[in-house]
Amino acid sequence: MTEVKKIVEKEVLMNGTQAVAYAAMYADVDVVAAYPIRPYTEVMDTISKLIADGELDAEFIVAEGEHGQFETVKHASLVGARTLVGSSGVGWLYAMEAIVVTATDRAPVVAIIGNRALDDPGAYGVEHNDALMVRDVGWLLAWVDTAQEAFDTTLIAYRVAEDQRVLLPVGISMDGGFLTHSEQIVRLPPKEIVKDFLPPYNRGKYLVHPDNPITVAPQVNEDWVMEIRRQHEEAMERARVVISEAYESFKKVFGRYPGSTGDIKMPENPFVEPFMIDDAEVVLIGMGTVSKPMKVAIKNMRKQGYKVGMLRIRWFRPFPTQDVIRYLSNARVVCVIDRDYSMGSPNRGGVVYHEIRSSLYDLDQRPKVLNFIGGLGGREITIQDVEKIIKIGYEHRDTPITKPVYWVGVRGDPW
């Protein structure tokens, strides 16, 4: 059994972006690059205040735009600085060239992505397509659903990203508005014990320094690109083990499992959060704060006799394929709620829907999979919406799927 320390944590009221800023302060970041775009911006507001108040000693660089912002932290990371950066929506996409090479140059940058709809039309509300743009280029991606999980996952992100078995950037996604701006109680451990969990950043032989002449990002063409891509993919696979080790170490050092608070006890699985799933015939899937109406609806529907549960995806990259198979293989219907879209894709479904279907495809007996696209542009997914989704899932236990994808609550499109 894992030994658990008893420590005294202080409770502070803060939102998700402030929680990330405090975690970065606890991690003693060296370089922060900022450029404003809502809803992530309060991370940088909070960091600048921590520096001004003398609680954090770091270089705070205001870039001329998002591309320069991400170039700054990439280069800082390669010369051995622990870094924090972030953006939202089209700001994240404006930096895409720098974001891609941050991964291919193996710079363990930690970024917060305050999920926001992509323009046009203008919308500040949440969609997940911004962060999902990097799902295939070697970024580790986590989705958090509470401020506590945001704080804990940020500390874990530095430990995982900087592990020499990984050396990949981590994007911490949080729902714009629903988490970036909503205040919750967060438990902050004593800062002095963070060093027991998070070692200093050490790039070893990969440090860019005049005394260590190495080549980064050479022109290799067909001679070496295949080998480099394969090494990158193997690092992503090794991250599964490193993430599991980090969560266990977090529990030993801080005395609680990541994401847990005094009132919330998180299941001890880094990659997914199962909820009332053991006997569930219908299982809901989602990422981020949609888990809140899902849990309330599940409790309501269970009182009416519906055997329904939930599986929340905590880490999207690496994707928790084995956990998905483990928890869903006995379900009869899986209802995936996507806060994203993948236009022109098979069945015209969402991104998470396709990941789930692909994970289950090789099973001899697999559940039916339905997709519900909703909550785009920040529109709320209500408890009543989720209860309707559960009823649709139940109706398909013994009937073929004739309509695999539903859009939730769209005017003029009954569902």
Side-chain angles (χ1 to χ4, degrees), residues 86-319:
S87 194
S88 295
V90 291
W92 174 253
L93 267 63
Y94 183 59
M96 193 52 65
E97 183 197 25
I99 286 172
V100 171
V101 297
T102 296
T104 54
D105 287 349
R106 309 289 296 275
V109 166
V110 172
I112 171 178
I113 310 158
N115 296 138
R116 166 180 165 163
L118 300 174
D119 296 343
D120 282 332
Y124 302 132
V126 55
E127 284 179 8
H128 292 168
N129 280 86
D130 54 359
L132 289 171
M133 289 287 180
V134 301
R135 65 175 178 156
D136 299 325
V137 297
W139 276 69
L140 306 174
L141 285 175
W143 254 270
V144 296
D145 82 334
T146 66
Q148 184 69 63
E149 195 173 28
F151 177 88
D152 297 345
T153 303
T154 303
L155 291 179
I156 290 168
Y158 283 110
R159 173 158 168 160
V160 172
E162 295 170 359
D163 190 294
Q164 293 200 17
R165 291 169 289 178
V166 179
L167 290 178
L168 291 175
V170 177
I172 301 170
S173 284
M174 66 172 65
D175 290 350
F178 291 103
L179 183 52
T180 57
H181 288 65
S182 64
E183 291 189 327
Q184 306 165 8
I185 295 292
V186 176
R187 289 190 164 199
L188 300 180
K191 186 173 183 295
E192 59 270 17
I193 68 170
V194 172
K195 66 179 185 306
D196 296 335
F197 171 74
L198 185 60
Y201 174 32
N202 177 12
R203 287 188 65 79
K205 63 182 180 181
Y206 303 111
L207 180 69
V208 176
H209 189 276
D211 295 336
N212 183 44
I214 59 174
T215 298
V216 177
Q219 190 73 21
V220 296
N221 300 334
E222 68 277 11
D223 294 332
W224 284 104
V225 165
M226 285 284 291
E227 286 73 17
I228 292 171
R229 294 283 186 263
R230 181 59 182 266
Q231 289 174 3
H232 195 156
E233 193 278 331
E234 289 173 346
M236 176 68 73
E237 189 60 22
R238 289 193 295 270
R240 297 181 193 276
V241 174
V242 177
I243 290 170
S244 296
E245 292 174 354
Y247 276 67
E248 285 302 314
S249 177
F250 188 102
K251 180 180 175 181
K252 285 183 181 178
V253 173
F254 299 110
R256 58 176 174 78
Y257 201 73
S260 298
T261 65
D263 300 324
I264 300 173
K265 182 175 175 56
M266 288 293 293
E268 296 193 5
N269 188 318
F271 299 99
V272 295
E273 180 194 2
F275 178 77
M276 298 183 127
I277 201 170
D278 290 343
D279 65 340
E281 295 180 281
V282 174
V283 177
L284 309 178
I285 305 281
M287 301 197 301
T289 59
V290 73
S291 68
K292 299 296 185 293
M294 288 165 70
K295 288 178 178 177
V296 175
I298 287 168
K299 290 180 180 178
N300 291 344
M301 297 299 280
R302 277 196 169 261
K303 291 177 183 176
Q304 301 175 40
Y306 289 83
K307 292 183 178 180
V308 58
M310 181 198 80
L311 193 68
R312 177 172 66 89
I313 307 297
R314 301 177 76 180
W315 284 84
F316 185 82
R317 285 290 183 270
F319 194 76

Side-chain angles (χ1 to χ4, degrees), residues 322-352:
Q322 293 306 313
D323 288 302
V324 166
I325 292 173
R326 171 188 168 194
Y327 284 109
L328 300 186
S329 57
N330 292 324
R332 297 176 67 179
V333 181
V334 175
C335 300
V336 182
I337 301 178
D338 267 289
R339 217 161 202 157
D340 60 76
Y341 47 84
S342 180
M343 296 177 183
S345 68
N347 286 351
R348 302 163 66 188
V351 175
V352 181

